[in-house]
DNA sequence: TATTTATATTGCAATATTACGATATAAATA
DNA sequence: TATTTATATCGTAATATTGCAATATAAATA
């Protein structure tokens, strides 16, 4: 089918899945890493940073924006992008739970 | 196309993408959460925990296993699953970098 | 050994994703 | 206003993902 049965899962599970899925592409990871590396908002040079055509990059940026992981504002005729704290905040708890679980894990069998 | 141009990205970026992509489905999040919730290895009741048919669950488990996020060992005629620390360790740094960046971020423009 | 139980694999239909050329849009500038 | 520059959207081809029925496999048990 290719269609996810979102209705069978909790809102939180679906939300987390959307966020993780958005991160789940090397181009989108490269975009996130670039935004961190330059340590500021990036206006207009994201296309040049990636080995993909402009429409493709635009599509990836849109997906990150839709997922709530980046924000973009018009700045003249360019667009300034930066990370969106809200999105990453939502993932944070999930991974912190996993990490603290893994640190304290007993009952090892595998 | 539907084919990701992995050759244009670093190994680390591709590896992270594979991990995030594997997490990016509500059923697979539910599996991870269940493994944490029961706080032990789970032998054989994962199919019953999910609102999906057995072959579908088997497929999701396979994807999590391929990505290195869970481990499974035969235990009699059932299989015991638990989280695979290695996989989550690889994601940890990525999110820790993002979080410490977001906490110290200056240069806000959006 | 035959049956039961648990899980995996195969095959396939429906849908989603990835990528990009062509084109549109919209602000800046000549 | 015409042109340039930056980004978005459309359309489409190639491939991937999701889900499940049918079936296979493999260990446990009757």
């Amino acid at each position: 089918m290719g269609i996810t049965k979102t209705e069978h899962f909790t809102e939180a599970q679906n939300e987390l899945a959307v966020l993780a899925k958005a991160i789940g592409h090397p181009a989108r990871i490269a975009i996130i890493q670039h935004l961190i590396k330059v340590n500021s908002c990036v206006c207009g040079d994201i296309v040049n940073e990636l080995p993909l055509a402009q429409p493709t990059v635009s599509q990836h940026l849109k997906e990150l924006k839709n997922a709530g992981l980046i924000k973009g504002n018009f700045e003249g005729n360019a667009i300034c992008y930066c990370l969106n704290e809200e999105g990453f905040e939502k993932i944070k708890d999930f991974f912190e739970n996993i990490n603290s679980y893994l640190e304290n894990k007993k009952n090892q069998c595998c």
Side-chain angles (χ1 to χ4, degrees), chain A:
Chain A
M1 311 202 164
I3 188 166
T4 294
K5 293 192 150 183
T6 51
E7 71 276 15
H8 293 319
F9 300 96
T10 69
E11 212 174 310
Q13 286 167 339
N14 285 313
E15 197 170 39
L16 270 172
V18 166
L19 289 164
K21 196 173 178 182
I23 298 175
H25 189 288
R28 298 195 286 267
I29 295 214
I31 290 170
I32 292 168
Q33 287 175 332
H34 181 64
L35 290 176
I36 290 175
K37 186 181 153 206
V38 299
N39 191 31
S40 74
C41 299
V42 164
C43 305
D45 69 340
I46 291 188
V47 170
N48 304 321
E49 282 294 319
L50 292 177
L52 295 169
Q54 179 268 323
T56 309
V57 175
S58 185
Q59 196 173 279
H60 283 304
L61 288 166
K62 192 178 172 186
E63 277 170 64
L64 285 170
K65 202 151 72 174
N66 286 344
L69 291 166
I70 66 172
K71 284 187 284 192
N73 290 331
F74 278 94
E75 193 81 23
N77 67 339
I79 293 188
C80 276
Y81 283 108
C82 64
L83 295 190
N84 184 352
E85 292 196 49
E86 271 181 77
F88 288 99
E89 198 68 37
K90 283 174 185 163
I91 312 180
K92 205 177 163 182
D93 278 353
F94 177 68
F95 282 104
E96 278 177 359
N97 279 342
I98 291 175
N99 288 328
S100 72
Y101 165 66
L102 287 173
E103 277 160 24
N104 304 317
K105 182 163 67 133
K106 309 274 188 303
N107 298 323
Q108 282 275 28
C109 80
C110 27

